[in-house]
């Protein structure tokens, strides 16, 4: 990985890792035209130095618009912060200082897509601001449903957005369609009681999946309990662990081009072995911080926002670690969210003012503190930042800087078919792991469904799969 030279006065030095990481992702996928959207480089929290002193506030971070003027009523539709607690913190804390009336509405990807398209078709728009992942916006931009935010991006550039982020917001064109908002990733978490059972010679910051299998087996043998857990509940994110972690680590693929490969068969057999040591309640877990805190589980993987309560409440009892590596490297999924304005928004001026507000360094660090999503601008690291967030920053730094890292982007270009795409992975998990059906047979059946979903969406390949002409081909 290319290492960029650090500025003499360090800011949120996570950007240095991200610039190199995202340059790699962009070059891997190509920076095509609007018909081949840039990948969802939903980027990982960059490698921050959690001990660095907070710098003086940058004058360019001041709000560009009139802070005290009433921005009016704004309906803010978002695929992010849908869990009730996150949504309430968004409404009551993050948005509390905004000079306007914001109705924050979190939605799942399908309803989000449907509402944006229905309002565009009817010509009766009510939504003024959209919050979503990179892949949420690509189909909208292709269909002319997003406003040009190039002037606003130029105005805000002094806040220190990495150029790679700005490039992603252009979606492969010369027009900025979304402004970067925040970023996160997924990590391995462990109770410190589990560390004594690590396999001999294992480095906890550079584990392999083979070592993880041995580790969870050691814990079960020592305690008599299955202390490993995955978020396999109805609203858990286990599908992302397959798409962004296991498939890239075993196949070097985003889980499409290598979906039914021999390497994928090996991966699924290893998952079956891991599952024999998983807490049976894993099929109900949605936020792994909860079973970690109750100590039903000692070792787990999940999204940073779904681990933060554990390390915040008991920072001395837990460690956060990079994801394990497989035969092809250390697969991990960077996640970036952005802010866009739909064409015909009833309050575009207010929406732009809300974008200015949410990308202020103060609000970026508030978002980090409240909902564990990391800044995308140069924001000072608060001196009162909780120990849990600092622990996350260190783990994310180790993961993003891993020499064997294989970054994998969130799916791009699926639009309303995103739920069907994810279901292929959860159905495969249920049939192979829970129901013990033959791996090759299940993958062959699910591959046909996966190909149909991708064909219907017209989605090209995304990193780490190589670029494609037309829909990505399942192999």
């Amino acid at each position: 990985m290319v290492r960029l030279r650090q500025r003499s006065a360090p800011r949120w030095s996570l950007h240095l890792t991200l610039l190199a990481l995202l340059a790699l992702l962009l070059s891997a996928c190509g920076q095509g035209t609007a018909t081949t959207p840039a990948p969802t480089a939903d980027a990982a929290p960059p490698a921050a130095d959690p001990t660095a002193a907070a710098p003086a506030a940058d004058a360019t971070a001041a709000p560009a618009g009139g802070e005290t003027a009433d921005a009016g009523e704004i309906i803010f539709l978002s695929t992010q912060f849908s869990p009730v607690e996150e949504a309430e913190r968004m409404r009551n804390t993050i948005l509390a200082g905004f000079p306007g009336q914001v109705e924050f509405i979190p939605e799942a990807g399908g309803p989000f897509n449907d509402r944006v398209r229905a309002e565009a078709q009817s010509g009766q728009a009510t939504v003024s601001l959209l919050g979503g992942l990179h892949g949420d916006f690509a189909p909208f931009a292709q269909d002319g449903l997003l406003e040009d935010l190039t002037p606003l991006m130029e105005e805000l550039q002094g806040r220190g957005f990495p150029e790679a982020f700005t490039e992603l917001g252009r979606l492969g064109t010369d027009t900025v369609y979304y402004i970067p908002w925040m970023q996160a990733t997924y990590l391995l978490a462990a109770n410190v009681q589990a560390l004594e059972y690590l396999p001999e010679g294992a480095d906890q910051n550079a584990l392999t999946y083979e070592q993880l299998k041995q580790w969870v087996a050691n814990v079960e043998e020592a305690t008599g309990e299955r202390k490993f857990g995955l978020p396999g509940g109805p609203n858990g994110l286990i599908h992302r662990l397959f798409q962004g972690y296991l498939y890239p680590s075993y196949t070097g693929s985003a889980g499409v081009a290598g979906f039914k490969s021999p390497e994928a068969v090996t991966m699924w057999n290893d998952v079956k072995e891991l599952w024999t040591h998983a807490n049976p309640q894993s099929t109900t877990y949605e936020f792994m911080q909860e079973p970690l805190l109750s100590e039903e589980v000692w070792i787990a993987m999940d999204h940073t926002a779904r681990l933060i309560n554990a390390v915040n409440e008991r920072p001395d009892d837990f460690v956060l670690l990079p994801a394990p590596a497989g035969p092809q490297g250390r697969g991990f999924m960077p996640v970036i969210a952005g802010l866009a304005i739909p064409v015909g928004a009833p309050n575009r001026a207010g929406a732009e003012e809300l974008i200015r507000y949410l990308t202020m360094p103060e609000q970026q660090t508030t978002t980090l503190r409240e909902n564990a999503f990391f800044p995308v601008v140069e924001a000072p690291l608060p001196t009162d930042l909780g120990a849990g967030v600092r622990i996350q920053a260190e783990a994310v730094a180790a993961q993003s800087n891993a020499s064997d890292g294989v970054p994998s982007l969130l799916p791009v270009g699926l639009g309303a078919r995103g739920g069907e795409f994810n279901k292929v992975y959860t159905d495969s998990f249920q049939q192979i792991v829970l129901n013990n059906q033959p791996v090759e047979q299940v993958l062959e059946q699910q591959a046909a469904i996966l190909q149909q979903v991708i064909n219907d969406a017209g989605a090209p390949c995304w990193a780490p799969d190589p670029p494609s002409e037309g829909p990505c081909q399942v192999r």
Side-chain angles (χ1 to χ4, degrees), residues 2 77 91 97 101-103 132 140 148 155 184 198 208 221 226 236 246 291 305 314 422 444 463:
V2 177
L77 188 68
R91 296 183 184 106
Q101 300 79 55
V102 181
E103 183 180 354
F140 295 156
D148 180 357
E155 173 192 316
L198 279 164
T208 66
E221 182 179 359
R226 295 161 66 176
L246 286 154
R314 290 163 51 189
N422 293 336
E444 196 65 41

Side-chain angles (χ1 to χ4, degrees), residues 101-152:
Q101 300 79 55
V102 181
E103 183 180 354
F104 178 69
I105 304 174
E107 284 279 20
F112 174 85
N113 180 82
D114 292 345
R115 179 165 180 175
V116 172
R117 293 188 179 280
E119 291 197 359
Q121 291 168 5
S122 70
Q124 299 178 341
T126 63
V127 174
S128 292
L129 184 64
L130 302 173
L133 300 175
H134 177 104
D136 294 327
F137 295 132
F140 295 156
Q142 278 188 292
D143 295 341
L145 302 182
L146 299 180
E147 294 282 7
D148 180 357
L149 299 183
T150 305
L152 181 60

Side-chain angles (χ1 to χ4, degrees), residues 305-347:
R306 298 181 178 212
L307 296 171
I308 188 61
N309 285 358
V311 287
N312 268 345
E313 292 180 24
R314 290 163 51 189
D316 295 333
D317 293 342
F318 298 102
V319 293
L320 295 181
L321 309 171
Q328 298 298 319
R330 196 170 306 277
F332 70 99
M333 179 175 277
V335 182
I336 186 169
L339 299 164
I341 299 177
V343 169
N347 187 1

